[in-house]
């Protein structure tokens, strides 16, 4: 069982893995930031595509790639039509974020809007309702759309780090082979969340694979 966070495509690694293990079916399960470590440690998933931060105690964590962030703005926001925004542009905006304010990616934390969220779906609903702005990895703009939300690049924020994680106690040649497959296809996986890549044609990522 492979866990994955929103916006991360498991398919490239699964194809590479299944070439070596045609008898093994790669099943998948979506995970969120507040349960990604727990699901690895209690065995609900064998390996996970995770996003930092994560409590690494008891885990083997392998960095795969980084992903730029975008600002998530209500469609009527004054910066909704800009090609990009800066952290300074958004100073003073209420932020729709999950419960741990220390994980905000801004250099100066924004005021918490008071709506803790678990995933992208909840984030988009609160932003669409005008309760604040948020920040997500770029892949959200590829995998998720909402008629009342726009995504605007914000280059001065640190990118999100995507990693592969396995429980340190979970030793298996099959799991190790999946880790190897994930490392070898990390660039392709990153491109699955790249809107410019999709603009080249619907099967551009598949051809690259």
């Amino acid at each position: 069982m492979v866990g994955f966070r929103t916006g991360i495509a498991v398919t490239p690694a699964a194809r590479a893995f299944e070439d070596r293990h045609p008898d093994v079916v790669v099943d998948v399960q979506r995970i969120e930031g507040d349960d990604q470590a727990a699901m690895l440690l209690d065995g609900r998933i064998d390996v996970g595509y995770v996003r930092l931060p994560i409590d690494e105690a008891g885990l083997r964590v392998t960095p795969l790639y980084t992903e730029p962030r975008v600002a998530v703005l209500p469609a009527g926001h004054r910066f909704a039509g800009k090609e990009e925004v800066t952290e300074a542009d958004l100073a003073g905006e209420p932020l729709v974020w999950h419960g741990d304010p220390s994980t905000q990616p801004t250099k100066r934390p924004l005021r918490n809007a008071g709506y803790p969220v678990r995933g992208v779906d909840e984030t988009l609903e609160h932003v669409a309702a005008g309760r604040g702005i948020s920040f997500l990895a770029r892949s959200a703009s590829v995998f998720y759309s909402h008629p009342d939300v726009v995504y605007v690049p914000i280059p001065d924020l640190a990118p999100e780090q995507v990693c592969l994680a396995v429980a340190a106690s979970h030793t298996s040649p099959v799991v190790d082979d999946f880790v190897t497959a994930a490392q070898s296809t990390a660039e392709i996986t990153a491109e699955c969340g790249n809107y410019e890549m999709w603009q080249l044609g619907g099967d551009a990522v598949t051809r690259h694979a």
Side-chain angles (χ1 to χ4, degrees):
M1 179 70 73
V2 178
F4 66 97
R5 293 287 302 277
T6 299
I8 302 174
V10 179
T11 306
R15 287 174 175 163
F17 171 81
E18 288 170 352
D19 284 344
R20 295 191 60 184
H21 296 276
D23 56 330
V24 179
V25 175
V26 177
D27 201 356
V28 295
Q29 182 173 351
R30 179 170 153 181
I31 58 180
E32 299 292 354
D34 60 355
D35 61 11
Q36 55 185 0
M39 292 182 72
L40 286 159
L41 293 171
D42 66 18
R44 280 177 285 170
I45 57 176
D46 299 298
V47 59
Y49 281 91
V50 302
R51 296 183 183 274
L52 298 186
I54 184 174
D55 183 352
E56 297 187 23
L59 300 177
R60 290 184 285 130
V61 179
T62 304
L64 293 179
Y65 61 91
T66 60
E67 189 174 349
R69 297 180 194 264
V70 294
V72 188
L73 308 176
H77 194 280
R78 66 190 185 281
F79 293 139
K82 294 191 69 174
E83 291 187 4
E84 62 181 44
V85 293
T86 67
E87 183 178 335
D89 289 334
L90 301 176
E93 296 274 359
L95 183 67
V96 176
W97 204 245
H98 50 77
D100 186 354
S102 70
T103 62
Q104 290 187 23
T106 52
K107 298 179 182 69
R108 296 182 179 179
L110 299 179
R111 174 171 58 88
N112 196 311
Y115 299 94
V117 294
R118 291 196 70 235
V120 173
D121 307 85
E122 294 176 11
T123 298
L124 297 186
E125 289 301 322
H126 285 302
V127 172
R131 295 167 184 153
I133 67 164
S134 195
F135 305 110
L136 290 170
R138 179 182 59 188
S139 56
S141 65
V142 174
F143 290 96
Y144 284 82
S145 63
H146 192 294
D148 298 313
V149 166
V150 297
Y151 300 105
V152 181
I154 182 163
D156 58 347
L157 288 194
E160 281 206 0
Q161 176 69 58
V162 174
C163 301
L164 203 72
V166 179
S169 60
H170 192 352
T171 57
S172 161
V174 173
V175 169
D176 290 344
D177 281 351
F178 188 88
V179 172
T180 299
Q183 290 175 299
S184 68
T185 57
E187 181 180 352
I188 301 167
T189 304
E191 287 173 347
C192 288
N194 182 345
Y195 182 66
E196 289 76 13
M197 188 69 178
W198 287 103
Q199 285 184 311
L200 297 177
D203 63 345
V205 173
T206 302
R207 290 200 307 271
H208 186 77

